[in-house]
Amino acid sequence: MTLTDRLRKLTRAPLDRCAGFVARLGIHPDWISVFALLLVAVAAWFIAGGDFVVGGIVLLLSLPLDALDGAVARAMDRQGAFGMVLDSTLDRYADGVIFAAFGYYFAESGRMDMLLAALAALTGSYLVSYVRARADDAEVNVSVTVGWFSRLERVLVLLVMTLAAGALESVAPLEIGLLVLAIGTNITALQRLWHVYHILRDRGD
């Protein structure tokens, strides 16, 4: 069971109660997904400018919305295919803007090495999601949730390193965090690919 699965299990009851209230207000789950992306974009703006405390706080505020949209969809019985595609697409945009913010900050500082780390972390994050999506395809039909750096783990690392950089007034937490993500996400993508290979081999595919 991944960290995401454990947290989802622990927060299911309070999240469902909150989702029921939001559903009664008539707020569409897709609006929540879009608003969450807007918050991440605001956080990215502050991060790119070096204001890591505000950026980290705004990023923290966006986290509950990432889970709330799905819970509201269940409460409103609107678990359509488009909502799932939209949510996944906006998650990829969120990944892009946040890593772009770190890349921009380090590029402005002349740190091309950390710009490359941010790009490697972004590539790994996309590949983690891509391998899962491709494996879920009807022609492959393999469920993939394994790996050390699923979305929740990645967001937690981003949150901790951003707030730590602001609190310590040092870029060292950012450097450590980006290197961890650059390595960890790409290892996770390979973990998932290896998992798919073994499943398909055992099935004779």
Side-chain angles (χ1 to χ4, degrees):
M1 183 178 290
T2 64
L3 178 59
T4 302
D5 296 328
R6 294 179 187 277
L7 188 61
R8 185 180 291 119
K9 183 178 180 180
L10 290 172
T11 60
R12 181 67 180 263
L15 188 63
D16 284 347
R17 287 195 294 270
C18 182
F21 173 75
V22 174
R24 287 192 293 273
L25 294 177
I27 300 176
H28 197 284
D30 290 351
W31 300 349
I32 300 173
S33 300
V34 172
F35 184 63
L37 175 61
L38 291 177
L39 279 181
V40 173
V42 171
W45 175 269
F46 284 105
I47 289 170
D51 196 340
F52 303 120
V53 173
V54 176
I57 292 173
V58 176
L59 185 60
L60 177 62
L61 293 176
S62 73
L63 288 184
L65 299 179
D66 202 32
L68 184 61
D69 53 1
V72 172
R74 290 193 300 270
M76 299 178 74
D77 196 22
R78 288 186 172 180
Q79 295 177 267
F82 177 74
M84 291 186 289
V85 173
L86 177 66
D87 186 47
S88 295
T89 301
L90 295 184
D91 283 346
R92 304 292 77 74
Y93 271 116
D95 289 340
V97 296
I98 203 71
F99 283 113
F102 286 113
Y104 177 86
Y105 172 79
F106 279 110
E108 280 287 289
S109 305
R111 294 289 307 278
M112 295 298 114
D113 56 334
M114 295 312 301
L115 170 61
L116 290 176
L119 291 174
L122 175 60
T123 301
S125 297
Y126 278 168
L127 284 172
V128 168
S129 301
Y130 177 79
V131 173
R132 178 176 181 177
R134 190 67 183 91
D136 279 340
D137 189 278
E139 295 181 4
V140 182
N141 194 27
V142 175
S143 177
V144 182
T145 58
V146 299
W148 299 330
F149 282 86
S150 63
R151 178 165 173 77
L152 178 60
E153 288 87 347
R154 298 196 304 269
V155 172
L156 289 177
V157 172
L158 286 169
L159 183 61
V160 170
M161 75 186 205
T162 304
L163 290 173
L168 299 174
E169 297 184 350
S170 168
V171 298
L174 301 182
E175 295 170 344
I176 295 170
L178 285 176
L179 289 173
V180 167
L181 289 170
I183 297 170
T185 55
N186 284 284
I187 289 177
T188 298
L190 294 175
Q191 281 181 298
R192 291 188 168 189
L193 192 61
W194 187 249
H195 173 75
V196 173
Y197 167 74
H198 276 279
I199 295 296
L200 294 178
R201 185 190 62 180
D202 293 342
R203 280 192 345 206
D205 294 336

